[in-house]
Amino acid sequence: MKQLLFFSNNKNKIIEIKKIFNKFDLELLSLNDLNISEEPEESGHTFEENAKIKSEHGYNKTGIPCFADDSGICIESLNWKPGVFSKRFLNNFKNKELCFKNILKSVKNSGKQNAYFKTSISLTINKNQNIIFNGKIYGKISEKIKGDFGFGYDPIFIPKNYNKTLAELSTKYKNEISHRSIAVNKLINFLSN
Ligand code: IMP
C-alpha cells in the first residue's frame, strides 16, 4: 500500500483528513505516527509559500510524498490582512472577544465588510515536484459575534448567500462548504486520477 504523509500536528485536522482518506487504498500518516514533532518556521508571505515550506520539509525528512496546508482569513477593512498571520493576530489579543470587537470596529469605521477564508494545500511528490491546490470561501464580517461551533474566526464570518455565521452552522455542514474542503477535494481529485 502506498504511503502519504500529512504534515500536521493538529489533532482535529488529522482526524478530519484521515476520515476523508479512509476510502483510498493509501496509508495516510501524520507527524505523530513518525514521531516527528519539530516543524519548520512558517516564514512565507503567502499561504502557498507556507504550505510548500511544510510539505517539502516533510518529504525531505522522510522520503514519503507529503502534503501540508496553510489557511487564514483576509479582511477588507484591515487591508486584506491578517492572512498568513491569522493565528498570531488572534493570539495578540487577551481573548478572542477583544480581537473580534476590534475587527467589527474596523468594519464599522471603514464601511468595508468583505472578507474571505483561504486554504492552500501543497503536495510534494518528489524533489522539486510540487503541486498547489487552493480553496476560498467569500463572505462578509458579521455585525455581531454569533455562534458556538467551529473555531478561530468562525463567529464573525458570514459566507456569501447565507445569513448565519460559520459558527452558527453545524461542523458537518461547515466542512461541506469550507475553503479547506474545497482545497482537499481538489487534492483528492488529483490523487484519484
Ligand atoms: P491553519 O493554517 O489552518 O492552522 O489556520 C491558521 C489560523 O487561521 C487558525 O488558527 C484560525 O485562526 C484561522 N482559520 C483558518 N481556518 C479557519 C476556519 O475554517 N475558521 C475560522 N478560522 C480559521
Side-chain angles (χ1 to χ4, degrees):
M1 197 194 287
K2 280 192 183 154
Q3 290 185 319
L4 182 65
L5 172 62
F6 176 39
F7 195 91
S8 177
N9 268 318
N10 179 322
K11 273 188 198 146
N12 292 326
K13 271 193 203 171
I14 294 167
I15 292 170
E16 189 184 321
I17 294 284
K18 283 202 169 176
K19 254 190 217 157
I20 297 173
F21 276 84
N22 252 345
K23 49 181 180 265
F24 289 96
D25 189 22
L26 264 176
E27 187 186 1
L28 188 78
L29 303 166
S30 64
L31 293 184
N32 209 9
D33 298 318
L34 300 176
N35 279 327
I36 298 175
S37 54
E38 130 271 9
E39 295 186 29
E41 195 195 336
E42 295 182 23
S43 54
H45 298 290
T46 62
F47 297 112
E48 288 89 342
E49 280 172 13
N50 278 341
K52 188 168 172 233
I53 287 171
K54 291 184 271 188
S55 70
E56 280 188 333
H57 183 84
Y59 178 81
N60 290 337
K61 278 243 145 194
T62 63
I64 300 171
C66 175
F67 71 97
D69 72 326
D70 198 49
S71 319
I73 191 168
C74 302
I75 299 171
E76 188 183 17
S77 65
L78 300 179
N79 290 324
W80 300 109
K81 292 190 172 88
V84 290
F85 300 109
S86 293
K87 192 173 178 179
R88 285 164 266 185
F89 185 78
L90 202 54
N91 291 341
N92 275 344
F93 291 84
K94 258 195 189 153
N95 57 51
K96 269 185 174 190
E97 204 178 342
L98 285 177
C99 175
F100 295 160
K101 280 187 175 159
N102 177 283
I103 295 171
L104 264 46
K105 200 169 147 196
S106 81
V107 171
K108 207 171 169 197
N109 290 343
S110 66
K112 293 175 179 169
Q113 276 191 303
N114 294 324
Y116 64 87
F117 278 107
K118 181 173 172 183
T119 292
S120 294
I121 292 178
S122 166
L123 171 68
T124 304
I125 43 180
N126 236 315
K127 232 182 170 41
N128 302 324
Q129 214 179 341
N130 231 82
I131 304 142
I132 299 284
F133 306 91
N134 284 324
K136 269 188 182 181
I137 176 169
Y138 292 95
K140 63 179 183 186
I141 299 299
S142 57
E143 281 169 18
K144 287 187 181 150
I145 303 165
K146 276 187 170 174
D148 300 313
F149 296 119
F151 70 100
Y153 297 84
D154 285 347
I156 57 162
F157 182 84
I158 301 180
K160 203 175 167 190
N161 299 327
Y162 286 76
N163 53 19
K164 285 181 174 174
T165 67
L166 280 179
E168 292 179 286
L169 301 173
S170 72
T171 307
K172 186 172 178 285
Y173 192 77
K174 179 197 156 183
N175 286 343
E176 281 169 20
I177 62 166
S178 79
H179 49 112
R180 211 178 330 278
S181 73
I182 294 169
V184 170
N185 283 332
K186 287 182 184 172
L187 168 71
I188 285 172
N189 263 341
F190 174 84
L191 291 172
S192 20
N193 286 323

